[in-house]
Amino acid sequence: MVTASGELHVLAVSGAALGTIAAFVGGLALVGALLWAFWLGNRVRGREPRPPRPEEQPKLPDSGPVHEIREMREPDEVPHAKDESERLRPENLHASGTKRSENQKRRRWSPGSSGSFGGGGPGKT
């Protein structure tokens, strides 16, 4: 660097000083990126609808809470067309693949009828 008196002063920068400067500049970049992300998040959140008020929350029905229903189900077969020329249309199909079984008695396991590994029959000796 040339000064007013004409002398040349060389500024020696060590590797440690360069590392410190690089870390400082990197930190500034990171802080800037975090501030930008915070600003962008606030803008996006500002465009979202407001949370529902307590009076807008869902309420229990007058009959009380709804409980689970247990029932035996069986496969609901796809209806067959009467003729080869007749097509099945969506209104001919059912919404679910199962239907309520007429026999609501639960099947129970009985020893020797089935099981894991050997099939459950009487053991061979």
Side-chain angles (χ1 to χ4, degrees):
M1 173 177 209
V2 178
T3 60
S5 65
E7 296 175 3
L8 181 63
H9 296 281
V10 178
L11 180 64
V13 179
S14 70
L18 284 177
T20 303
I21 292 171
F24 181 74
V25 170
L28 283 179
L30 182 64
V31 167
L34 288 172
L35 286 174
W36 175 81
F38 181 76
W39 173 79
L40 181 65
N42 276 340
R43 282 192 56 197
V44 168
R45 187 171 184 200
R47 283 186 252 143
E48 291 177 353
R50 63 167 177 72
R53 295 186 183 114
E55 61 270 6
E56 297 171 338
Q57 296 288 337
K59 302 272 188 278
L60 276 177
D62 293 334
S63 61
V66 179
H67 296 286
E68 175 181 311
I69 297 174
R70 290 187 178 200
E71 63 183 9
M72 299 301 293
R73 307 284 293 176
E74 64 184 20
D76 192 9
E77 301 293 330
V78 176
H80 294 284
K82 294 176 185 168
D83 284 343
E84 293 279 332
S85 61
E86 185 183 354
R87 295 184 345 175
L88 286 176
R89 303 189 52 80
E91 59 268 14
N92 301 118
L93 301 175
H94 304 110
S96 176
T98 63
K99 63 182 178 182
R100 187 175 195 274
S101 175
E102 291 186 27
N103 180 9
Q104 289 296 307
K105 186 177 178 189
R106 290 181 60 195
R107 295 188 306 172
R108 298 289 186 185
W109 177 80
S110 59
S113 64
S114 96
S116 63
F117 291 104
K124 296 192 180 188
T125 55

